[in-house]
CSV table of all heavy atoms in Angstrom, one decimal:
chain,number,residue,atom,x,y,z
A,1,LYS,N,15.2,47.2,-16.0
A,1,LYS,CA,15.3,47.5,-14.6
A,1,LYS,C,16.7,47.7,-14.1
A,1,LYS,O,17.0,48.6,-13.3
A,1,LYS,CB,14.6,46.5,-13.7
A,1,LYS,CG,13.1,46.4,-13.9
A,1,LYS,CD,12.5,45.3,-13.2
A,1,LYS,CE,11.0,45.1,-13.5
A,1,LYS,NZ,10.4,44.0,-12.8
A,2,MET,N,17.6,46.9,-14.7
A,2,MET,CA,19.0,47.0,-14.3
A,2,MET,C,19.7,48.2,-15.0
A,2,MET,O,20.5,48.9,-14.4
A,2,MET,CB,19.7,45.7,-14.6
A,2,MET,CG,19.3,44.5,-13.8
A,2,MET,SD,20.2,43.0,-14.2
A,2,MET,CE,19.3,42.4,-15.6
A,3,GLU,N,19.4,48.4,-16.2
A,3,GLU,CA,20.0,49.5,-17.0
A,3,GLU,C,19.6,50.8,-16.4
A,3,GLU,O,20.3,51.8,-16.5
A,3,GLU,CB,19.6,49.4,-18.4
A,3,GLU,CG,20.3,48.3,-19.2
A,3,GLU,CD,19.8,48.2,-20.6
A,3,GLU,OE1,18.8,48.9,-21.0
A,3,GLU,OE2,20.4,47.4,-21.4
A,4,GLN,N,18.4,50.9,-15.8
A,4,GLN,CA,17.9,52.2,-15.3
A,4,GLN,C,18.8,52.7,-14.1
A,4,GLN,O,19.0,53.9,-14.0
A,4,GLN,CB,16.5,51.9,-14.7
A,4,GLN,CG,15.9,53.2,-14.1
A,4,GLN,CD,14.5,52.9,-13.6
A,4,GLN,OE1,14.0,51.8,-13.7
A,4,GLN,NE2,13.8,53.9,-13.1
A,5,TYR,N,19.4,51.8,-13.4
A,5,TYR,CA,20.2,52.2,-12.2
A,5,TYR,C,21.7,52.0,-12.5
A,5,TYR,O,22.5,52.4,-11.7
A,5,TYR,CB,19.8,51.4,-11.0
A,5,TYR,CG,18.4,51.7,-10.5
A,5,TYR,CD1,17.4,50.9,-10.8
A,5,TYR,CD2,18.2,52.9,-9.9
A,5,TYR,CE1,16.1,51.2,-10.4
A,5,TYR,CE2,16.9,53.3,-9.5
A,5,TYR,CZ,15.8,52.4,-9.8
A,5,TYR,OH,14.6,52.7,-9.4
A,6,TYR,N,22.1,51.5,-13.6
A,6,TYR,CA,23.5,51.2,-13.9
A,6,TYR,C,24.3,52.5,-14.0
A,6,TYR,O,25.4,52.6,-13.4
A,6,TYR,CB,23.7,50.3,-15.1
A,6,TYR,CG,25.1,50.1,-15.4
A,6,TYR,CD1,25.9,49.2,-14.7
A,6,TYR,CD2,25.8,50.8,-16.5
A,6,TYR,CE1,27.2,49.0,-15.0
A,6,TYR,CE2,27.1,50.6,-16.8
A,6,TYR,CZ,27.8,49.7,-16.0
A,6,TYR,OH,29.1,49.5,-16.3
A,7,VAL,N,23.8,53.4,-14.8
A,7,VAL,CA,24.6,54.6,-15.1
A,7,VAL,C,24.7,55.5,-13.9
A,7,VAL,O,25.9,55.9,-13.5
A,7,VAL,CB,24.0,55.4,-16.3
A,7,VAL,CG1,24.6,56.8,-16.4
A,7,VAL,CG2,24.0,54.6,-17.6
A,8,PRO,N,23.7,55.8,-13.1
A,8,PRO,CA,23.9,56.6,-11.9
A,8,PRO,C,24.8,55.9,-10.9
A,8,PRO,O,25.6,56.5,-10.2
A,8,PRO,CB,22.4,56.8,-11.3
A,8,PRO,CG,21.5,56.4,-12.4
A,8,PRO,CD,22.2,55.5,-13.3
A,9,LEU,N,24.6,54.6,-10.7
A,9,LEU,CA,25.4,53.8,-9.8
A,9,LEU,C,26.9,53.9,-10.2
A,9,LEU,O,27.8,54.1,-9.4
A,9,LEU,CB,24.9,52.4,-9.7
A,9,LEU,CG,25.6,51.5,-8.6
A,9,LEU,CD1,25.4,52.1,-7.2
A,9,LEU,CD2,25.1,50.1,-8.7
A,10,CYS,N,27.1,53.7,-11.5
A,10,CYS,CA,28.5,53.7,-12.0
A,10,CYS,C,29.1,55.1,-11.8
A,10,CYS,O,30.3,55.2,-11.4
A,10,CYS,CB,28.5,53.3,-13.5
A,10,CYS,SG,30.1,53.0,-14.1
A,11,CYS,N,28.4,56.1,-12.1
A,11,CYS,CA,28.9,57.5,-11.9
A,11,CYS,C,29.2,57.8,-10.4
A,11,CYS,O,30.3,58.3,-10.1
A,11,CYS,CB,27.9,58.5,-12.4
A,11,CYS,SG,27.8,58.6,-14.2
A,12,ALA,N,28.3,57.4,-9.5
A,12,ALA,CA,28.5,57.6,-8.1
A,12,ALA,C,29.7,56.8,-7.6
A,12,ALA,O,30.5,57.3,-6.8
A,12,ALA,CB,27.3,57.2,-7.3
A,13,TYR,N,29.9,55.6,-8.1
A,13,TYR,CA,31.0,54.8,-7.7
A,13,TYR,C,32.3,55.4,-8.1
A,13,TYR,O,33.3,55.5,-7.4
A,13,TYR,CB,30.9,53.4,-8.3
A,13,TYR,CG,32.0,52.4,-7.8
A,13,TYR,CD1,31.8,51.7,-6.7
A,13,TYR,CD2,33.1,52.2,-8.6
A,13,TYR,CE1,32.8,50.8,-6.3
A,13,TYR,CE2,34.1,51.4,-8.2
A,13,TYR,CZ,33.9,50.6,-7.0
A,13,TYR,OH,34.9,49.8,-6.6
A,14,LYS,N,32.4,55.9,-9.4
A,14,LYS,CA,33.6,56.5,-9.9
A,14,LYS,C,34.0,57.8,-9.1
A,14,LYS,O,35.1,58.0,-8.7
A,14,LYS,CB,33.5,56.9,-11.3
A,14,LYS,CG,33.5,55.7,-12.2
A,14,LYS,CD,33.3,56.0,-13.7
A,14,LYS,CE,33.3,54.8,-14.6
A,14,LYS,NZ,33.1,55.2,-16.0
A,15,ILE,N,33.0,58.6,-8.8
A,15,ILE,CA,33.2,59.8,-8.0
A,15,ILE,C,33.7,59.5,-6.6
A,15,ILE,O,34.7,60.1,-6.1
A,15,ILE,CB,31.9,60.7,-8.0
A,15,ILE,CG1,31.6,61.3,-9.3
A,15,ILE,CG2,32.1,61.8,-6.9
A,15,ILE,CD1,30.3,61.9,-9.5
A,16,ILE,N,33.1,58.6,-5.9
A,16,ILE,CA,33.5,58.3,-4.6
A,16,ILE,C,34.8,57.6,-4.5
A,16,ILE,O,35.7,57.9,-3.7
A,16,ILE,CB,32.4,57.3,-3.9
A,16,ILE,CG1,31.1,58.1,-3.7
A,16,ILE,CG2,32.9,56.8,-2.6
A,16,ILE,CD1,29.9,57.3,-3.3
A,17,SER,N,35.1,56.7,-5.5
A,17,SER,CA,36.4,56.1,-5.5
A,17,SER,C,37.5,57.0,-5.8
A,17,SER,O,38.7,56.9,-5.3
A,17,SER,CB,36.4,54.9,-6.5
A,17,SER,OG,36.2,55.3,-7.8
A,18,SER,N,37.3,58.1,-6.6
A,18,SER,CA,38.3,59.0,-6.9
A,18,SER,C,38.6,60.0,-5.7
A,18,SER,O,39.7,60.5,-5.6
A,18,SER,CB,38.0,59.8,-8.2
A,18,SER,OG,36.9,60.7,-7.9
A,19,GLU,N,37.5,60.2,-5.0
A,19,GLU,CA,37.7,61.1,-3.8
A,19,GLU,C,38.3,60.4,-2.6
A,19,GLU,O,39.0,61.0,-1.8
A,19,GLU,CB,36.3,61.7,-3.4
A,19,GLU,CG,35.6,62.6,-4.4
A,19,GLU,CD,36.3,63.9,-4.5
A,19,GLU,OE1,36.7,64.4,-3.4
A,19,GLU,OE2,36.3,64.5,-5.6
A,20,LEU,N,38.0,59.1,-2.4
A,20,LEU,CA,38.5,58.4,-1.2
A,20,LEU,C,39.5,57.3,-1.7
A,20,LEU,O,39.1,56.2,-2.1
A,20,LEU,CB,37.3,57.7,-0.5
A,20,LEU,CG,36.2,58.7,0.0
A,20,LEU,CD1,35.0,57.9,0.5
A,20,LEU,CD2,36.7,59.6,1.0
A,21,LYS,N,40.7,57.6,-1.5
A,21,LYS,CA,41.8,56.7,-1.8
A,21,LYS,C,42.0,55.8,-0.6
A,21,LYS,O,41.9,56.2,0.5
A,21,LYS,CB,43.1,57.4,-2.2
A,21,LYS,CG,42.9,58.4,-3.3
A,21,LYS,CD,42.7,57.7,-4.6
A,21,LYS,CE,42.7,58.7,-5.7
A,21,LYS,NZ,42.1,58.3,-6.9
A,22,GLY,N,42.2,54.5,-0.9
A,22,GLY,CA,42.5,53.6,0.2
A,22,GLY,C,41.3,53.0,0.9
A,22,GLY,O,41.5,52.2,1.9
A,23,VAL,N,40.1,53.3,0.5
A,23,VAL,CA,38.9,52.7,1.0
A,23,VAL,C,38.6,51.4,0.3
A,23,VAL,O,38.7,51.4,-1.0
A,23,VAL,CB,37.8,53.7,1.0
A,23,VAL,CG1,36.5,53.1,1.6
A,23,VAL,CG2,38.1,55.0,1.7
A,24,SER,N,38.1,50.4,0.9
A,24,SER,CA,37.7,49.1,0.3
A,24,SER,C,36.6,49.3,-0.8
A,24,SER,O,35.8,50.2,-0.7
A,24,SER,CB,37.3,48.1,1.3
A,24,SER,OG,36.0,48.4,1.8
A,25,LYS,N,36.7,48.5,-1.8
A,25,LYS,CA,35.7,48.6,-2.9
A,25,LYS,C,34.3,48.3,-2.4
A,25,LYS,O,33.3,48.8,-2.9
A,25,LYS,CB,36.1,47.6,-4.0
A,25,LYS,CG,37.3,48.0,-4.8
A,25,LYS,CD,37.7,47.0,-5.9
A,25,LYS,CE,38.9,47.5,-6.6
A,25,LYS,NZ,39.2,46.6,-7.7
A,26,LYS,N,34.2,47.4,-1.4
A,26,LYS,CA,32.9,47.0,-0.9
A,26,LYS,C,32.3,48.2,-0.2
A,26,LYS,O,31.1,48.5,-0.4
A,26,LYS,CB,33.1,45.9,0.1
A,26,LYS,CG,31.8,45.3,0.7
A,26,LYS,CD,32.1,44.1,1.6
A,26,LYS,CE,30.8,43.6,2.2
A,26,LYS,NZ,31.0,42.5,3.1
A,27,LEU,N,33.1,49.0,0.6
A,27,LEU,CA,32.5,50.2,1.3
A,27,LEU,C,32.2,51.2,0.3
A,27,LEU,O,31.2,51.9,0.4
A,27,LEU,CB,33.6,50.7,2.3
A,27,LEU,CG,33.1,51.8,3.1
A,27,LEU,CD1,31.9,51.4,4.0
A,27,LEU,CD2,34.3,52.2,4.1
A,28,ILE,N,33.0,51.4,-0.8
A,28,ILE,CA,32.7,52.4,-1.8
A,28,ILE,C,31.4,52.0,-2.5
A,28,ILE,O,30.5,52.9,-2.8
A,28,ILE,CB,33.8,52.5,-2.9
A,28,ILE,CG1,35.0,53.1,-2.2
A,28,ILE,CG2,33.4,53.3,-4.1
A,28,ILE,CD1,36.3,53.1,-3.0
A,29,LEU,N,31.1,50.7,-2.8
A,29,LEU,CA,29.9,50.3,-3.4
A,29,LEU,C,28.7,50.6,-2.5
A,29,LEU,O,27.7,51.0,-3.0
A,29,LEU,CB,30.0,48.8,-3.8
A,29,LEU,CG,28.7,48.2,-4.5
A,29,LEU,CD1,28.5,49.0,-5.8
A,29,LEU,CD2,28.9,46.8,-4.7
A,30,GLN,N,28.9,50.4,-1.2
A,30,GLN,CA,27.8,50.7,-0.3
A,30,GLN,C,27.4,52.1,-0.3
A,30,GLN,O,26.3,52.5,-0.3
A,30,GLN,CB,28.2,50.2,1.1
A,30,GLN,CG,28.2,48.7,1.3
A,30,GLN,CD,28.6,48.3,2.7
A,30,GLN,OE1,29.1,49.2,3.5
A,30,GLN,NE2,28.5,47.1,3.1
A,31,MET,N,28.5,53.0,-0.3
A,31,MET,CA,28.3,54.4,-0.4
A,31,MET,C,27.6,54.9,-1.7
A,31,MET,O,26.7,55.7,-1.6
A,31,MET,CB,29.6,55.2,-0.2
A,31,MET,CG,30.2,55.1,1.2
A,31,MET,SD,31.6,56.2,1.2
A,31,MET,CE,32.8,55.1,2.1
A,32,ALA,N,28.0,54.2,-2.8
A,32,ALA,CA,27.4,54.6,-4.1
A,32,ALA,C,25.9,54.2,-4.1
A,32,ALA,O,25.1,55.0,-4.6
A,32,ALA,CB,28.2,53.9,-5.2
A,33,VAL,N,25.6,53.0,-3.6
A,33,VAL,CA,24.2,52.6,-3.6
A,33,VAL,C,23.4,53.5,-2.7
A,33,VAL,O,22.2,53.9,-3.0
A,33,VAL,CB,24.1,51.1,-3.1
A,33,VAL,CG1,22.6,50.7,-2.8
A,33,VAL,CG2,24.7,50.2,-4.1
A,34,LYS,N,23.9,53.9,-1.5
A,34,LYS,CA,23.2,54.8,-0.6
A,34,LYS,C,23.0,56.2,-1.3
A,34,LYS,O,21.9,56.8,-1.2
A,34,LYS,CB,24.0,55.0,0.6
A,34,LYS,CG,23.4,56.0,1.6
A,34,LYS,CD,22.1,55.5,2.2
A,34,LYS,CE,21.7,56.4,3.4
A,34,LYS,NZ,20.3,56.3,3.6
A,35,ALA,N,24.0,56.7,-2.1
A,35,ALA,CA,23.9,57.9,-2.8
A,35,ALA,C,22.8,57.9,-3.8
A,35,ALA,O,22.0,58.8,-4.0
A,35,ALA,CB,25.2,58.3,-3.4
A,36,VAL,N,22.8,56.8,-4.6
A,36,VAL,CA,21.7,56.6,-5.6
A,36,VAL,C,20.3,56.5,-5.0
A,36,VAL,O,19.4,57.1,-5.5
A,36,VAL,CB,22.0,55.4,-6.5
A,36,VAL,CG1,20.9,55.1,-7.5
A,36,VAL,CG2,23.3,55.7,-7.3
A,37,ASN,N,20.2,55.8,-3.9
A,37,ASN,CA,18.9,55.7,-3.2
A,37,ASN,C,18.5,57.0,-2.6
A,37,ASN,O,17.3,57.2,-2.5
A,37,ASN,CB,19.0,54.6,-2.1
A,37,ASN,CG,19.0,53.2,-2.7
A,37,ASN,OD1,18.6,53.0,-3.8
A,37,ASN,ND2,19.4,52.3,-1.9
A,38,ASN,N,19.4,57.9,-2.3
A,38,ASN,CA,19.0,59.2,-1.7
A,38,ASN,C,18.8,60.3,-2.8
A,38,ASN,O,18.5,61.4,-2.5
A,38,ASN,CB,20.1,59.7,-0.7
A,38,ASN,CG,20.0,58.9,0.6
A,38,ASN,OD1,19.0,58.3,0.9
A,38,ASN,ND2,21.0,59.0,1.4
A,39,SER,N,19.0,59.9,-4.0
A,39,SER,CA,18.8,60.8,-5.2
A,39,SER,C,17.4,60.8,-5.6
A,39,SER,O,16.6,59.9,-5.4
A,39,SER,CB,19.7,60.4,-6.4
A,39,SER,OG,21.0,60.4,-6.0
A,40,THR,N,17.0,61.9,-6.2
A,40,THR,CA,15.6,62.1,-6.6
A,40,THR,C,15.4,61.1,-7.8
A,40,THR,O,16.1,61.1,-8.7
A,40,THR,CB,15.3,63.5,-7.1
A,40,THR,OG1,15.7,64.4,-6.0
A,40,THR,CG2,13.9,63.7,-7.5
A,41,GLY,N,14.3,60.4,-7.7
A,41,GLY,CA,13.9,59.5,-8.8
A,41,GLY,C,13.2,60.2,-9.9
A,41,GLY,O,13.1,61.4,-9.9
A,42,PRO,N,12.7,59.4,-10.9
A,42,PRO,CA,12.1,60.0,-12.1
A,42,PRO,C,10.8,60.7,-11.8
A,42,PRO,O,10.4,61.6,-12.5
A,42,PRO,CB,11.9,58.8,-13.0
A,42,PRO,CG,12.0,57.6,-12.2
A,42,PRO,CD,12.8,58.0,-11.0
């Protein structure tokens, strides 16, 4: 269950953190989780 969401969450986190410099890690994580939740599931 954890591995299923690790890769998409990690990718979203990396993309958002590279695009938004100076934003807190907590806010970037919230954005990444929201992006994964809004993505199409299996």
Side-chain angles (χ1 to χ4, degrees):
K1 293 177 185 176
M2 290 182 279
E3 287 176 349
Q4 180 180 0
Y5 294 104
Y6 177 76
V7 173
L9 184 61
C10 191
C11 289
Y13 185 88
K14 287 179 183 178
I15 291 169
I16 294 169
S17 63
S18 68
E19 295 285 328
L20 301 174
K21 303 292 184 198
V23 178
S24 71
K25 291 181 179 181
K26 184 177 179 180
L27 186 59
I28 292 172
L29 182 60
Q30 288 177 350
M31 287 186 224
V33 170
K34 179 69 173 156
V36 170
N37 284 341
N38 286 345
S39 300
T40 305

